[in-house]
Amino acid sequence: MVQPMLECIPNFSDARRPDVIEAIISSITAVEGVTLLDRHSDLDHNRTVITFVGPPAAVEQAAFQAIAKAAQLIDLDHHSGEHPRIGATDVVPFVPISGMTMQDCIQIARHLGERVGTDLNIPVYLYEEAATRPERSNLENIRRGQYEALKQEMGIKPERDPDFGPKVVGPAGATVIGARQPLIAYNVYLTTDDVSIAEKIAKTIRYSSGGLRYVKALGMLVEGRAQISMNLTNFHKTPIALVVEAIRREASRFGVMIHHAELVGLIPESALVDAAAWYLQLDQFHSDQILEQKLFTLIKSSQSQSTVSYAIGTGFLDDLAAGTATPGGGSAAAYAGAAAAGLVSMVARLTIGKKKYAEFENRVQTILTQAESLRNDLTEFIQLDSSAFEGVMSAYKLPKQTSEQQDIRHKAIQQATLLATQVPMGVANKSLRVIELAEQIIPISNETALSDAATGASLAKAAIKGAGYNIRINTRELPDELSRPYLTELAGIEQHAATIEGRIQAALHERGL
């Protein structure tokens, strides 16, 4: 029997105060059975999107606790950002994953809405599949005029009255709760800072103004570039590749191009597969033609040893000391990188709020946000490295009696080795970013935490060196044309890190350390 699994993707109106986001995340992960999948903070949007899954009752409780925590910590009277919002917890969608129907999600959304309205005294609107009025199925209709307009109109205009809770807006604003199918949050940046171009393109492609079905879009200025911020609500019926080409076509009319794009949160694998098949014009393509998927099925069927699972801490160190192949040096390198990022975060927090360093407050806040993101990524690499190496060992255990089996085994070994190389390369790249942040914070940090910043820089350098050893030993098993790009990239990372380390030593000397 399939165990019910529910996904929740709440959006919070803050990204510039990492301590606030950490407190919200802690309120979510404190609920037993809930697993955090992703977090994405955008400083220009001043918005954070968190993704978590678990059994329905646990997910609902985690969402309630997160809304309560956000209401305590986020005051919309002092909030600004590029993204539209009406609440501290702006929107809370539920998505069925397994063993659940959309109707189940609707019931959870309505039950949570009633709890939030009654227990937290926050106005709640229901949207998408959970909407009680047709006009409220569309989020932008509810959010029209944002928090500022809602404060003026709620309790006066009946159409702005909430589904649950009071008819008055406090500093936590209102919250929109609903149920929907999987959504892709996708942003495209243009080669211009003219936001009017992004606004015109967004108007052309969004469905509400006559564009593509299942596309919601806004034009805004983010990181000095014009951005088209989108929600793609049904990628099966309006593929992501079609959206990109529509933007490319419209952009060319204004003499600009796509600079780059980004995902906010997670994307279904099939959406990327569909995009690849579209661009490569693979009319007869089937997903079982993907090498990794085929190999994963073969390797999984031959595995007898379960994946290493441990809590990062004493349990990890005990496993590291045991006489087993995993976890090993690659995981230890990731552990060092995560510890380095943690020290940078610590130094930032010890600097923020101190009068002596007030002039550096914004810079340190930015460093803290980036360090916490890196710490999260490097922590995930600890487990990923063990899993990757176990994949190599499993590939070597594949049968090799026939020529066909030998061919499959050879490809499996090569693919698994590539993955086992890519993971420490990710550790090296992330750790380089950590040492860059250490360099940025050392001249402006709280003097009492200077040794901690220096230790973080040293650990980041050690993580790069450790990852490098693992990259080199893995690439020995690969042909030159596959190994050469990794070794070239590694050499560049190591050289850059050494240069930064020299500058850090000089900066520490200047501050008397």
Side-chain angles (χ1 to χ4, degrees), residues 50-64:
I50 295 171
T51 305
F52 58 95
V53 296
V59 168
E60 181 185 338
Q61 181 59 29
F64 179 83

Side-chain angles (χ1 to χ4, degrees), residues 339-414:
L343 283 170
V344 172
S345 294
M346 167 194 168
V347 173
R349 289 191 170 102
L350 289 172
T351 304
I352 292 168
K354 301 294 190 296
K355 289 183 180 180
K356 185 177 179 180
Y357 308 100
E359 64 181 299
F360 307 123
E361 184 95 3
N362 289 337
R363 289 170 60 189
V364 177
Q365 284 279 13
T366 299
I367 290 170
L368 177 56
T369 298
Q370 294 172 352
E372 284 298 271
S373 178
L374 288 166
R375 181 167 69 93
N376 183 62
D377 291 344
L378 284 160
T379 300
E380 291 179 357
F381 275 125
I382 299 171
Q383 178 67 65
L384 283 174
D385 187 84
S386 291
S387 299
F389 187 70
E390 287 174 359
V392 174
M393 293 190 294
S394 295
Y396 273 100
K397 294 176 183 177
L398 289 174
K400 51 182 178 180
Q401 279 74 34
T402 67
S403 59
E404 183 181 5
Q405 288 175 340
Q406 290 170 9
D407 185 52
I408 291 173
R409 179 176 178 272
H410 173 74
K411 290 178 180 178
I413 290 171
Q414 188 170 95

